mmCIF file of all heavy atoms in Angstrom:
data_model
loop_
_atom_site.group_PDB
_atom_site.id
_atom_site.type_symbol
_atom_site.label_atom_id
_atom_site.label_comp_id
_atom_site.label_asym_id
_atom_site.label_seq_id
_atom_site.Cartn_x
_atom_site.Cartn_y
_atom_site.Cartn_z
ATOM 1 N N LEU A 1 -4.656 5.341 14.195
ATOM 2 C CA LEU A 1 -3.790 6.479 13.888
ATOM 3 C C LEU A 1 -4.603 7.755 13.765
ATOM 4 O O LEU A 1 -5.631 7.796 13.091
ATOM 5 C CB LEU A 1 -3.013 6.218 12.593
ATOM 6 C CG LEU A 1 -1.906 5.161 12.640
ATOM 7 C CD1 LEU A 1 -1.292 5.008 11.254
ATOM 8 C CD2 LEU A 1 -0.843 5.523 13.662
ATOM 9 N N ARG A 2 -4.090 8.799 14.369
ATOM 10 C CA ARG A 2 -4.750 10.114 14.241
ATOM 11 C C ARG A 2 -4.386 10.767 12.917
ATOM 12 O O ARG A 2 -5.177 11.507 12.332
ATOM 13 C CB ARG A 2 -4.343 11.014 15.406
ATOM 14 C CG ARG A 2 -4.808 10.504 16.769
ATOM 15 C CD ARG A 2 -4.416 11.464 17.870
ATOM 16 N NE ARG A 2 -2.975 11.654 17.929
ATOM 17 C CZ ARG A 2 -2.147 10.845 18.588
ATOM 18 N NH1 ARG A 2 -2.619 9.784 19.212
ATOM 19 N NH2 ARG A 2 -0.852 11.086 18.619
ATOM 20 N N SER A 3 -3.173 10.550 12.488
ATOM 21 C CA SER A 3 -2.710 11.024 11.192
ATOM 22 C C SER A 3 -1.760 9.978 10.643
ATOM 23 O O SER A 3 -1.346 9.066 11.357
ATOM 24 C CB SER A 3 -2.012 12.382 11.317
ATOM 25 O OG SER A 3 -0.859 12.259 12.144
ATOM 26 N N GLY A 4 -1.404 10.087 9.386
ATOM 27 C CA GLY A 4 -0.544 9.077 8.799
ATOM 28 C C GLY A 4 -1.323 7.817 8.496
ATOM 29 O O GLY A 4 -2.509 7.681 8.815
ATOM 30 N N ARG A 5 -0.628 6.843 7.901
ATOM 31 C CA ARG A 5 -1.319 5.636 7.480
ATOM 32 C C ARG A 5 -0.373 4.442 7.459
ATOM 33 O O ARG A 5 0.749 4.524 6.971
ATOM 34 C CB ARG A 5 -1.920 5.832 6.080
ATOM 35 C CG ARG A 5 -2.726 4.641 5.556
ATOM 36 C CD ARG A 5 -3.607 5.073 4.395
ATOM 37 N NE ARG A 5 -2.863 5.525 3.251
ATOM 38 C CZ ARG A 5 -2.548 4.756 2.209
ATOM 39 N NH1 ARG A 5 -2.933 3.488 2.180
ATOM 40 N NH2 ARG A 5 -1.882 5.237 1.183
ATOM 41 N N ILE A 6 -0.821 3.331 8.023
ATOM 42 C CA ILE A 6 -0.178 2.031 7.839
ATOM 43 C C ILE A 6 -0.943 1.332 6.726
ATOM 44 O O ILE A 6 -2.141 1.087 6.855
ATOM 45 C CB ILE A 6 -0.213 1.201 9.134
ATOM 46 C CG1 ILE A 6 0.643 1.860 10.220
ATOM 47 C CG2 ILE A 6 0.283 -0.214 8.858
ATOM 48 C CD1 ILE A 6 0.566 1.181 11.574
ATOM 49 N N GLU A 7 -0.264 1.035 5.622
ATOM 50 C CA GLU A 7 -0.975 0.503 4.465
ATOM 51 C C GLU A 7 -0.814 -1.004 4.278
ATOM 52 O O GLU A 7 -1.449 -1.593 3.402
ATOM 53 C CB GLU A 7 -0.547 1.217 3.180
ATOM 54 C CG GLU A 7 0.855 0.886 2.700
ATOM 55 C CD GLU A 7 1.104 1.411 1.294
ATOM 56 O OE1 GLU A 7 0.219 2.073 0.726
ATOM 57 O OE2 GLU A 7 2.219 1.171 0.791
ATOM 58 N N GLY A 8 0.025 -1.620 5.076
ATOM 59 C CA GLY A 8 0.205 -3.057 4.899
ATOM 60 C C GLY A 8 1.072 -3.657 5.982
ATOM 61 O O GLY A 8 1.672 -2.945 6.795
ATOM 62 N N VAL A 9 1.127 -4.981 5.989
ATOM 63 C CA VAL A 9 1.967 -5.715 6.918
ATOM 64 C C VAL A 9 2.565 -6.908 6.165
ATOM 65 O O VAL A 9 1.884 -7.565 5.389
ATOM 66 C CB VAL A 9 1.190 -6.175 8.162
ATOM 67 C CG1 VAL A 9 -0.041 -6.981 7.800
ATOM 68 C CG2 VAL A 9 2.075 -6.960 9.120
ATOM 69 N N ILE A 10 3.848 -7.145 6.378
ATOM 70 C CA ILE A 10 4.553 -8.232 5.692
ATOM 71 C C ILE A 10 4.644 -9.424 6.632
ATOM 72 O O ILE A 10 5.080 -9.297 7.785
ATOM 73 C CB ILE A 10 5.945 -7.760 5.245
ATOM 74 C CG1 ILE A 10 5.812 -6.693 4.160
ATOM 75 C CG2 ILE A 10 6.782 -8.944 4.739
ATOM 76 C CD1 ILE A 10 7.107 -5.989 3.819
ATOM 77 N N VAL A 11 4.267 -10.574 6.117
ATOM 78 C CA VAL A 11 4.365 -11.827 6.867
ATOM 79 C C VAL A 11 5.220 -12.778 6.040
ATOM 80 O O VAL A 11 4.957 -12.982 4.859
ATOM 81 C CB VAL A 11 2.993 -12.462 7.124
ATOM 82 C CG1 VAL A 11 3.133 -13.677 8.045
ATOM 83 C CG2 VAL A 11 2.027 -11.440 7.728
ATOM 84 N N GLY A 12 6.245 -13.343 6.651
ATOM 85 C CA GLY A 12 7.143 -14.238 5.937
ATOM 86 C C GLY A 12 7.234 -15.607 6.558
ATOM 87 O O GLY A 12 6.530 -16.535 6.175
ATOM 88 N N ARG A 13 8.087 -15.737 7.559
ATOM 89 C CA ARG A 13 8.377 -17.045 8.137
ATOM 90 C C ARG A 13 7.119 -17.761 8.649
ATOM 91 O O ARG A 13 6.980 -18.975 8.482
ATOM 92 C CB ARG A 13 9.376 -16.868 9.283
ATOM 93 C CG ARG A 13 9.817 -18.181 9.918
ATOM 94 C CD ARG A 13 10.810 -17.936 11.023
ATOM 95 N NE ARG A 13 11.156 -19.188 11.701
ATOM 96 C CZ ARG A 13 11.835 -19.250 12.826
ATOM 97 N NH1 ARG A 13 12.253 -18.137 13.422
ATOM 98 N NH2 ARG A 13 12.108 -20.408 13.383
ATOM 99 N N ALA A 14 6.201 -17.025 9.277
ATOM 100 C CA ALA A 14 5.011 -17.666 9.852
ATOM 101 C C ALA A 14 4.152 -18.321 8.786
ATOM 102 O O ALA A 14 3.531 -19.362 9.030
ATOM 103 C CB ALA A 14 4.193 -16.648 10.632
ATOM 104 N N LEU A 15 4.121 -17.734 7.588
ATOM 105 C CA LEU A 15 3.375 -18.356 6.485
ATOM 106 C C LEU A 15 4.108 -19.585 5.971
ATOM 107 O O LEU A 15 3.513 -20.640 5.746
ATOM 108 C CB LEU A 15 3.168 -17.348 5.356
ATOM 109 C CG LEU A 15 2.137 -16.248 5.567
ATOM 110 C CD1 LEU A 15 2.154 -15.285 4.381
ATOM 111 C CD2 LEU A 15 0.745 -16.827 5.768
ATOM 112 N N HIS A 16 5.413 -19.446 5.773
ATOM 113 C CA HIS A 16 6.193 -20.569 5.239
ATOM 114 C C HIS A 16 6.198 -21.750 6.204
ATOM 115 O O HIS A 16 6.199 -22.913 5.775
ATOM 116 C CB HIS A 16 7.626 -20.117 4.961
ATOM 117 C CG HIS A 16 7.767 -19.242 3.748
ATOM 118 N ND1 HIS A 16 7.649 -19.720 2.461
ATOM 119 C CD2 HIS A 16 7.994 -17.909 3.630
ATOM 120 C CE1 HIS A 16 7.804 -18.720 1.612
ATOM 121 N NE2 HIS A 16 8.024 -17.618 2.294
ATOM 122 N N ASP A 17 6.209 -21.465 7.501
ATOM 123 C CA ASP A 17 6.219 -22.529 8.500
ATOM 124 C C ASP A 17 4.841 -23.133 8.747
ATOM 125 O O ASP A 17 4.732 -24.150 9.437
ATOM 126 C CB ASP A 17 6.732 -21.979 9.849
ATOM 127 C CG ASP A 17 8.244 -21.793 9.858
ATOM 128 O OD1 ASP A 17 8.895 -22.180 8.872
ATOM 129 O OD2 ASP A 17 8.756 -21.238 10.841
ATOM 130 N N GLY A 18 3.806 -22.470 8.228
ATOM 131 C CA GLY A 18 2.459 -22.950 8.457
ATOM 132 C C GLY A 18 1.873 -22.539 9.805
ATOM 133 O O GLY A 18 0.813 -23.038 10.208
ATOM 134 N N ARG A 19 2.539 -21.626 10.497
ATOM 135 C CA ARG A 19 2.009 -21.159 11.780
ATOM 136 C C ARG A 19 0.755 -20.316 11.590
ATOM 137 O O ARG A 19 -0.099 -20.241 12.476
ATOM 138 C CB ARG A 19 3.072 -20.321 12.521
ATOM 139 C CG ARG A 19 4.298 -21.121 12.917
ATOM 140 C CD ARG A 19 5.419 -20.199 13.362
ATOM 141 N NE ARG A 19 6.652 -20.942 13.566
ATOM 142 C CZ ARG A 19 7.097 -21.331 14.764
ATOM 143 N NH1 ARG A 19 6.386 -21.032 15.846
ATOM 144 N NH2 ARG A 19 8.211 -22.014 14.866
ATOM 145 N N ILE A 20 0.699 -19.633 10.449
ATOM 146 C CA ILE A 20 -0.455 -18.819 10.090
ATOM 147 C C ILE A 20 -0.930 -19.248 8.717
ATOM 148 O O ILE A 20 -0.122 -19.379 7.789
ATOM 149 C CB ILE A 20 -0.111 -17.307 10.052
ATOM 150 C CG1 ILE A 20 0.285 -16.801 11.446
ATOM 151 C CG2 ILE A 20 -1.277 -16.496 9.514
ATOM 152 C CD1 ILE A 20 0.708 -15.348 11.454
ATOM 153 N N GLY A 21 -2.225 -19.458 8.575
ATOM 154 C CA GLY A 21 -2.803 -19.682 7.258
ATOM 155 C C GLY A 21 -3.179 -18.337 6.654
ATOM 156 O O GLY A 21 -3.664 -17.442 7.364
ATOM 157 N N LEU A 22 -2.934 -18.169 5.360
ATOM 158 C CA LEU A 22 -3.153 -16.860 4.747
ATOM 159 C C LEU A 22 -4.619 -16.433 4.823
ATOM 160 O O LEU A 22 -4.923 -15.277 5.101
ATOM 161 C CB LEU A 22 -2.668 -16.870 3.309
ATOM 162 C CG LEU A 22 -2.733 -15.521 2.584
ATOM 163 C CD1 LEU A 22 -2.006 -14.437 3.355
ATOM 164 C CD2 LEU A 22 -2.152 -15.638 1.179
ATOM 165 N N ALA A 23 -5.536 -17.356 4.586
ATOM 166 C CA ALA A 23 -6.963 -17.008 4.668
ATOM 167 C C ALA A 23 -7.317 -16.536 6.076
ATOM 168 O O ALA A 23 -8.048 -15.553 6.255
ATOM 169 C CB ALA A 23 -7.824 -18.204 4.266
ATOM 170 N N ASP A 24 -6.781 -17.224 7.083
ATOM 171 C CA ASP A 24 -7.031 -16.817 8.468
ATOM 172 C C ASP A 24 -6.407 -15.453 8.765
ATOM 173 O O ASP A 24 -6.983 -14.635 9.486
ATOM 174 C CB ASP A 24 -6.450 -17.857 9.435
ATOM 175 C CG ASP A 24 -7.191 -19.172 9.402
ATOM 176 O OD1 ASP A 24 -8.382 -19.179 9.002
ATOM 177 O OD2 ASP A 24 -6.575 -20.194 9.758
ATOM 178 N N ALA A 25 -5.227 -15.218 8.202
ATOM 179 C CA ALA A 25 -4.552 -13.940 8.413
ATOM 180 C C ALA A 25 -5.380 -12.791 7.860
ATOM 181 O O ALA A 25 -5.558 -11.762 8.533
ATOM 182 C CB ALA A 25 -3.170 -13.964 7.748
ATOM 183 N N MET A 26 -5.891 -12.958 6.663
ATOM 184 C CA MET A 26 -6.666 -11.871 6.061
ATOM 185 C C MET A 26 -7.987 -11.684 6.790
ATOM 186 O O MET A 26 -8.469 -10.560 6.948
ATOM 187 C CB MET A 26 -6.860 -12.148 4.574
ATOM 188 C CG MET A 26 -5.514 -12.208 3.844
ATOM 189 S SD MET A 26 -5.629 -12.260 2.076
ATOM 190 C CE MET A 26 -6.167 -10.607 1.710
ATOM 191 N N ALA A 27 -8.567 -12.772 7.281
ATOM 192 C CA ALA A 27 -9.799 -12.655 8.065
ATOM 193 C C ALA A 27 -9.535 -11.916 9.372
ATOM 194 O O ALA A 27 -10.370 -11.094 9.809
ATOM 195 C CB ALA A 27 -10.374 -14.038 8.350
#
């Protein structure tokens, strides 16, 4: 981004389903 800011991302179903592991996501 040249200006402005994305401060986060929400993950729901993929975590609950086990498609993404949280440690892997943060890495």
Side-chain angles (χ1 to χ4, degrees):
L1 289 178
R2 296 182 301 275
S3 62
R5 182 163 63 96
I6 294 175
E7 72 169 3
V9 55
I10 293 170
V11 187
R13 183 179 176 191
L15 286 176
H16 287 287
D17 285 354
R19 295 167 188 261
I20 296 177
L22 185 55
D24 292 336
M26 298 190 71

